[in-house]
Amino acid sequence: MSKENFQFQAEVGKILNIVANSLYSEKEIFLREYISNASDACDKLRYESLQNSNLSNKEDFKILVSFSKKNKTISISDNGIGMGKSELINSLGTIAKSGTEEFIKKLENKNEKNIEQIGKFGVGFYSGFMVAEKITVLSIKAGEKSGWKWSSDGKGGFDIEEDSSHKIGSIITLYLKKDAMDFLENVRLNNIIKKYSDHITHPVFLFDKDKKDYKEEQANQSLALWTKNKRDIKEEDYNNFYTQSGLNYDKPWKVLHNQNEGTINFTNLIFIPSEKPFDLLHADKKVNIKLYVKKVFITDNCENLIPKYMRFLNGIIDSEDISLNISREMLQNDPVIAKIRNNIVKKVISELEKELKNNKDNYTKFWENFGPVLKEGIHEDFTNKDTILKLSMFESSKKEGWTTLDDYIKRMSKDQKEIYYISGESKSNLLKSPQMESFITNNLEVLFFTDPIDEFWIPNIDNFNDYKFKSITKGAVDFKNKEVNKKEKENKDKSFEKLTAYLKSFYGDKVKDVRVSNRLTSSPVCFVADESSMDIHLENILKKHKHLNEISAKILEINPNHALIKFLNKIDTNDKKNLIKVKNISNMLLDQANLLEGIPLDDSKDFCNKLNDLILLSIN
Ligand code: ADP
């Protein structure tokens, strides 16, 4: 069959352009990417052959890095699963992972030197073009008869032709560029393999093709670190394992290594990272935990092993109590998996509790990275929701930095029976909201719920340690002296009765109600929602994401002490000569309330016209 030519997807073209012209000093990472792919390919075949004996491989799995100064090549071969024709086209010509676009943008910015992270974005293969002017991939998919050869100079496209000279797995050959010849040294390659791939579970051998009597040498230790005794493991070993096994680039924030014995026997070597991965909040972010059965890799895609709200975890779990031949589908429902999951969740939570108690500053670092994700557990994990609430931190109107609910309660006055909160985009924005005004003057602390996830757990959580959560943008609020307040409010309500009635009829169904406020001090108006209605901020989020067609009508509160409201209260709204003035002021007030909540105006042009008229009046 003749050669077929394919074009790279546009994004691949961009990546290739960047890597080919790169001046990155960490070019050596290409080898890590290729060894990691080769190791994955071996893992995949080992797992597939457990379920399909036709695929079983008589040889031991191995990865071979061979080089030739004469030919100016480095080859990485494996006896893993291999790739068929369509996989070669799809895997080595298109990009499937989300987030890659952001990575390309970062790379295009010359000051960002994060080529190191290429593997995380599912484009590690292309890193080879930093050192090679041409790459060929000879591959045969396990179970198939025909093999294929992929080749490309990394400029625009690639060729594919049938080539069955190769028997099993893949051989990737890099034809080195002139400025990359220094990689063709045994010592150099040996060091790179040790540096990046010492913990790869399959052996990596090094071979000098030009030397006749040269024997393959194993260059990595291929340790299953988790099987070693904790006492014999140094911090550095854990750190190396962490970076090499998960292609992580930070240092672990916490290491949880336990050999668990009891009804279920399993080992966990789990890391909590110290940096936030770029795709943490993406809906398709996978939990990065690999499942092994007696050192045999089974899957890195077992959804039930770790709850989604702990998707920041990395590492491995190895259990002898799971059958090696279990299918992926059965695995999801295996009770052993559920037990391991409960155990891991407990361990992580207890580690976090310990840290919060003993080293709050360090805990805060964790919280800033992963708090928004952990909080998903408040509404997803019924058993642990109270503990996760206890571990949660919020910004507050009274304190700099973060505060826990326990700390908030400690600071509350005796009369306060509720935990006040307001939700919105950011602390600085919320501090300026009109609903905050009286809380600030009455010296009442309000917590700021600024993560979108807060909107989802709060409706289902009634209280924390018997203190109810109270949104300050919903329903009525009682300030300190209830009796005085009540009397004052009744008098105010009476003296503004006519105005509220007028406004109600003027606004019609644009508002749910109009009432005199006791929460405003400097703003003339604000919106509040009914106690039983959805929070205003949540409604806004849902509307923005098109989960709601309409924003519901709100209660408009008016400030009886504001000059504008006092003016409106005095003026005769029935007098025809006042008609336009009263109408304009009333419309402007409603527009203000909408703007303050970030609700788009029905007629922004009209608002601007009126504003301009007022400005003109004030300067004429
Ligand atoms: P990633 O490994 O993160 O998916 P890469 O760009 O490194 O991204 O590789 C793309 C894909 O090509 C891999 O997901 C895999 O399907 C395939 N691949 C690469 N190298 C090999 C190999 N040696 N054997 C089998 N498949 C491979």
Side-chain angles (χ1 to χ4, degrees):
M1 203 188 275
S2 60
K3 222 185 247 184
E4 284 179 81
N5 183 267
F6 297 85
Q7 287 302 299
F8 284 121
Q9 183 196 12
E11 284 74 16
V12 175
K14 277 191 202 166
I15 295 252
L16 285 170
N17 201 13
I18 297 165
V19 293
N21 300 309
S22 74
L23 296 170
Y24 294 106
S25 50
E26 317 87 354
K27 287 185 181 171
E28 62 191 27
I29 58 131
F30 79 88
L31 196 56
R32 173 192 69 189
E33 298 300 326
Y34 285 52
I35 291 176
S36 161
N37 283 346
S39 167
D40 288 349
C42 295
D43 282 340
K44 278 183 202 157
L45 179 56
R46 179 155 63 179
Y47 184 68
E48 293 298 326
S49 61
L50 291 173
Q51 313 197 18
N52 178 355
S53 54
N54 292 337
L55 296 180
S56 83
N57 179 2
K58 304 268 169 323
E59 298 169 31
D60 287 339
F61 286 109
K62 93 174 192 194
I63 298 160
L64 179 67
V65 177
S66 47
F67 63 99
S68 162
K69 258 189 187 168
K70 236 185 330 192
N71 301 331
K72 304 181 183 103
T73 57
I74 296 179
S75 300
I76 300 94
S77 67
D78 64 72
N79 48 359
I81 190 104
M83 285 175 273
K85 183 182 176 189
S86 61
E87 279 164 307
L88 282 167
I89 297 169
N90 291 325
S91 303
L92 309 182
T94 52
I95 302 176
K97 273 196 191 163
S98 55
T100 315
E101 195 64 24
E102 294 159 37
F103 178 63
I104 296 175
K105 271 197 205 117
K106 278 195 176 164
L107 283 186
E108 279 172 341
N109 175 355
K110 298 235 157 29
N111 300 323
E112 291 267 0
K113 293 209 170 13
N114 56 359
I115 191 85
E116 261 269 294
Q117 306 213 0
I118 195 161
K120 272 257 183 286
F121 294 85
V123 289
F125 177 80
Y126 306 111
S127 65
F129 285 104
M130 287 193 289
V131 296
E133 56 189 21
K134 178 181 154 193
I135 298 179
T136 62
V137 181
L138 264 176
S139 199
I140 182 158
K141 172 119 188 174
E144 287 182 11
K145 286 200 181 78
S146 317
W148 299 91
K149 181 176 170 182
W150 178 104
S151 57
S152 174
D153 60 3
K155 296 180 187 127
F158 54 91
D159 295 323
I160 293 212
E161 63 193 302
E162 193 168 341
D163 184 329
S164 302
S165 57
H166 178 47
K167 284 291 157 267
I168 186 164
S170 308
I171 307 179
I172 298 174
T173 304
L174 295 103
Y175 296 82
L176 297 190
K177 289 179 181 174
K178 275 201 194 81
D179 64 0
M181 296 304 166
D182 54 332
F183 284 106
L184 295 168
E185 294 294 339
N186 189 318
V187 178
R188 176 92 199 265
L189 291 170
N190 210 320
N191 285 340
I192 300 174
I193 296 169
K194 284 218 160 56
K195 182 169 168 192
Y196 296 107
S197 311
D198 215 20
H199 288 283
I200 293 283
T201 39
H202 302 286
V204 181
F205 290 90
L206 191 57
F207 179 61
D208 184 343
K209 279 184 176 168
D210 298 339
K211 291 202 174 131
K212 274 209 180 104
D213 52 352
Y214 191 93
K215 281 214 188 83
E216 293 173 6
E217 284 171 13
Q218 185 166 342
N220 70 332
Q221 293 192 69
S222 87
L223 287 171
L225 188 71
W226 63 92
T227 56
K228 284 179 77 178
N229 195 318
K230 256 168 121 163
R231 264 173 295 157
D232 304 328
I233 305 177
K234 293 194 221 77
E235 187 184 336
E236 191 191 331
D237 299 329
Y238 281 130
N239 290 353
N240 284 339
F241 180 83
Y242 171 69
T243 41
Q244 293 178 17
S245 58
L247 292 181
N248 297 299
Y249 308 92
D250 53 336
K251 288 244 146 51
W253 180 79
K254 266 274 137 30
V255 182
L256 281 76
H257 185 194
N258 311 84
Q259 268 126 10
N260 307 280
E261 281 166 17
T263 36
I264 308 267
N265 301 305
F266 73 97
T267 299
N268 61 271
L269 175 51
I270 286 187
F271 303 91
I272 302 177
S274 58
E275 280 176 23
K276 184 156 63 181
F278 76 98
D279 55 351
L280 186 70
L281 296 174
H282 288 187
D284 57 358
K285 161 91 174 105
K286 276 203 321 194
V287 178
N288 211 352
I289 300 281
K290 292 186 171 145
L291 179 68
Y292 287 75
V293 170
K294 292 186 215 132
K295 294 207 299 189
V296 175
F297 172 79
I298 299 292
T299 178
D300 55 1
N301 194 12
C302 178
E303 280 179 16
N304 278 352
L305 192 54
I306 298 289
K308 237 182 154 43
Y309 72 88
M310 286 199 175
R311 60 184 176 274
F312 48 83
L313 298 177
N314 271 269
I316 69 99
I317 287 168
D318 191 338
S319 174
E320 57 194 64
D321 292 334
I322 298 169
S323 153
L324 257 180
N325 297 315
I326 194 165
S327 71
R328 280 197 184 93
E329 295 70 38
M330 296 274 287
L331 200 57
Q332 300 292 356
N333 302 316
D334 192 326
V336 175
I337 294 288
K339 287 196 176 123
I340 294 179
R341 168 192 167 114
N342 292 343
N343 185 307
I344 296 290
V345 168
K346 242 194 243 157
K347 280 199 172 77
V348 173
I349 286 184
S350 112
E351 201 60 36
L352 295 175
E353 282 177 312
K354 245 192 277 167
E355 201 67 16
L356 174 62
K357 194 163 158 235
N358 301 331
N359 188 349
K360 202 166 183 176
D361 284 347
N362 196 37
Y363 180 78
T364 303
K365 283 186 201 146
F366 161 83
W367 185 257
E368 286 177 342
N369 283 329
F370 304 117
V373 174
L374 189 72
K375 276 191 288 183
E376 291 172 16
I378 306 175
H379 87 127
E380 274 170 22
D381 186 343
F382 187 78
T383 324
N384 294 301
K385 66 178 178 6
D386 292 330
T387 328
I388 302 175
L389 260 180
K390 229 175 152 49
L391 286 168
S392 295
M393 293 177 117
F394 304 92
E395 288 183 289
S396 128
S397 61
K398 264 205 187 164
K399 266 193 97 243
E400 277 305 306
W402 297 91
T403 193
T404 60
L405 294 171
D406 282 324
D407 290 341
Y408 176 92
I409 289 168
K410 268 187 221 144
R411 287 192 294 268
M412 269 169 36
S413 75
K414 277 200 202 93
D415 326 324
Q416 193 180 329
K417 297 282 174 278
E418 292 169 315
I419 299 171
Y420 296 124
Y421 74 90
I422 179 167
S423 43
E425 300 276 317
S426 67
K427 174 174 175 171
S428 58
N429 252 337
L430 289 172
L431 267 174
K432 289 181 223 142
S433 13
Q435 293 94 338
M436 277 298 301
E437 291 170 4
S438 281
F439 286 85
I440 293 173
T441 21
N442 283 293
N443 202 23
L444 286 170
E445 182 170 2
V446 178
L447 294 179
F448 298 126
F449 288 2
T450 49
D451 285 318
I453 186 67
D454 295 327
E455 302 290 356
F456 295 93
W457 62 261
I458 198 82
N460 305 319
I461 303 288
D462 193 49
N463 67 75
F464 174 74
N465 288 357
D466 293 335
Y467 291 97
K468 276 192 177 309
F469 287 103
K470 163 81 185 152
S471 164
I472 66 162
T473 64
K474 270 166 85 171
V477 273
D478 281 330
F479 292 108
K480 278 179 205 158
N481 193 335
K482 274 192 186 167
E483 281 316 302
V484 177
N485 263 337
K486 215 173 149 195
K487 275 245 155 65
E488 244 177 48
K489 195 169 177 322
E490 278 168 12
N491 292 339
K492 286 257 158 73
D493 284 354
K494 262 222 168 88
S495 51
F496 283 83
E497 227 165 33
K498 249 173 75 190
L499 177 63
T500 47
Y502 164 78
L503 289 174
K504 236 185 276 183
S505 87
F506 177 74
Y507 294 136
D509 54 12
K510 285 186 187 151
V511 298
K512 191 165 187 185
D513 197 4
V514 178
R515 67 186 184 206
V516 176
S517 182
N518 66 341
R519 67 185 102 210
L520 294 171
T521 59
S522 56
S523 303
V525 288
C526 76
F527 273 146
V528 293
D530 250 351
E531 196 70 74
S532 58
S533 303
M534 197 186 283
D535 190 87
I536 300 178
H537 184 237
L538 173 59
E539 247 195 356
N540 278 350
I541 296 182
L542 294 179
K543 174 83 190 339
K544 208 157 120 193
H545 294 285
K546 302 202 162 63
H547 296 303
L548 266 186
N549 292 332
E550 290 273 319
I551 292 275
S552 66
K554 309 270 173 310
I555 299 164
L556 184 78
E557 287 202 350
I558 57 172
N559 178 358
N561 302 315
H562 194 280
L564 258 178
I565 303 295
K566 281 184 183 161
F567 172 78
L568 272 189
N569 199 32
K570 255 196 248 150
I571 203 166
D572 181 0
T573 47
N574 293 324
D575 189 339
K576 277 204 174 129
K577 74 174 188 307
N578 294 333
L579 205 68
I580 295 196
K581 199 186 284 174
V582 174
K583 205 173 124 188
N584 278 348
I585 298 177
S586 307
N587 276 332
M588 289 288 271
L589 287 174
L590 189 67
D591 285 347
Q592 277 186 38
N594 274 308
L595 284 175
L596 283 164
E597 295 305 333
I599 303 170
L601 302 182
D602 288 342
D603 190 346
S604 324
K605 182 89 193 301
D606 184 55
F607 177 81
C608 295
N609 287 343
K610 289 204 192 84
L611 192 63
N612 292 336
D613 288 347
L614 286 174
I615 299 172
L616 277 176
L617 265 180
S618 72
I619 55 177
N620 280 331

